[in-house]
Amino acid sequence: MNDRMEQEIRRTILRLQASMPEPRDRQTPVFTLLRIAASEMDWGLLLGLFAGALIFGLLSVRALSMPMLTIFCTAPMPMLLLFHRYVLASNQNMRELEATFPYSYPEMLAARSVVISCCMFGALVLLSVMLHVSASEAFLRLALCGAVPDIYLCALLLFLSASLRNSEGLSLLALVFWAALCFLVTVLPFDRLLQLCSTAAYAVLAAIGLILYSILVYNVQRRREHYDMAHIG
């Protein structure tokens, strides 16, 4: 009886072996991962976020007359919402579902982060152009000022998403943190500090952030994460 059961188990394993995920010896090409991540984007939602950021930025700069403070607080919002929609809101489901896919969770997390960063850059350029026209502030200075919180906050979210097993609460935490920060910089004389900071200083901070973010994306993409199939289902 035991021999018969063992033979049946072996036959079942052989029959299902082709559909079971296996560790891969090579990394998936980066462009393949980026293409898949880009295909997941809802472009209607993306346009809506761009329009919302532009409207909010225009209303804020007219109410506060502080273009540097406006772009510092407004620029990260599209990135935060996209990170919530495509990473944090379904983080656990992605881990479980992608255990059966040919691409690992760290690979797709890095690819989604890069695509979100590209969308974030597009929103930043549009917002900088609008504030440059409406507030007569230098375009490069505005863009670099908005890029600094964008880059560092995106890097922090990527790091936490890759490090924490259960990170569903990060969305709420990030939004609360950013809302509190925006309130503080509006109440305190933070706009004066932004005005005094030189364009070169913004450029250095943005460059350092990009280097750190690139290293983080590379390290996350190369991680080997092996799933325990007993926890799936």
Side-chain angles (χ1 to χ4, degrees):
M1 181 68 177
N2 290 336
D3 291 341
R4 193 177 308 169
M5 289 179 61
E6 185 176 349
Q7 291 176 2
E8 184 64 27
I9 291 173
R10 287 179 179 176
R11 282 196 294 268
T12 302
I13 292 174
L14 290 175
R15 187 171 66 252
L16 299 177
Q17 192 171 19
S19 62
M20 294 174 66
E22 298 179 0
R24 293 175 295 106
D25 296 327
R26 61 182 180 83
Q27 294 288 330
T28 305
V30 175
F31 289 109
T32 299
L33 296 172
L34 294 177
R35 177 177 54 80
I36 295 171
S39 67
E40 297 174 343
M41 299 294 294
D42 183 343
W43 298 105
L45 173 64
L46 189 62
L47 292 175
L49 289 179
F50 281 13
L54 292 176
I55 294 171
F56 181 80
L58 182 60
L59 294 176
S60 298
V61 77
R62 287 184 176 178
L64 301 174
S65 299
M66 300 176 181
M68 299 294 288
L69 183 63
T70 296
I71 197 166
F72 187 89
C73 294
T74 306
M77 294 312 296
M79 181 274 297
L80 285 173
L81 294 174
L82 287 173
F83 224 95
H84 168 77
R85 170 66 178 81
Y86 292 103
V87 177
L88 301 178
S90 56
N91 194 48
Q92 187 59 32
N93 292 336
M94 284 198 304
R95 286 184 182 274
E96 295 179 355
L97 184 61
E98 289 173 5
T100 62
F101 286 178
Y103 316 111
S104 69
Y105 173 81
E107 285 178 325
M108 288 307 303
L109 175 61
R112 289 183 176 113
S113 180
V114 171
V115 171
I116 290 172
S117 300
C118 293
C119 297
M120 175 184 72
F121 176 76
L124 176 62
V125 170
L126 292 176
L127 186 60
S128 301
V129 170
M130 186 200 68
L131 294 181
H132 168 69
V133 173
S134 61
S136 300
E137 189 72 51
F139 168 78
L140 181 60
R141 184 172 172 79
L142 285 168
L144 290 173
C145 180
V148 170
D150 258 358
I151 295 169
Y152 285 97
L153 191 56
C154 190
L156 178 61
L157 286 175
L158 175 59
F159 173 76
L160 292 176
S161 298
S163 302
L164 301 178
R165 186 68 186 179
N166 297 313
S167 56
E168 289 81 359
L170 282 179
S171 296
L172 180 60
L173 181 63
L175 289 175
V176 170
F177 169 78
W178 195 249
L181 181 60
C182 290
F183 174 77
L184 289 177
V185 300
T186 303
V187 174
L188 299 176
F190 191 73
D191 183 64
R192 181 171 176 79
L193 177 62
L194 293 176
Q195 292 288 350
L196 291 175
C197 190
S198 65
T199 303
Y202 286 126
V204 171
L205 288 173
I208 294 174
L210 280 175
I211 293 172
L212 294 176
Y213 180 59
S214 300
I215 294 173
L216 179 60
V217 169
Y218 177 78
N219 289 336
V220 169
Q221 192 265 336
R222 290 184 62 84
R223 284 185 183 181
R224 297 288 186 175
E225 183 162 326
H226 301 290
Y227 295 89
D228 185 358
M229 298 300 292
H231 296 293
I232 299 175

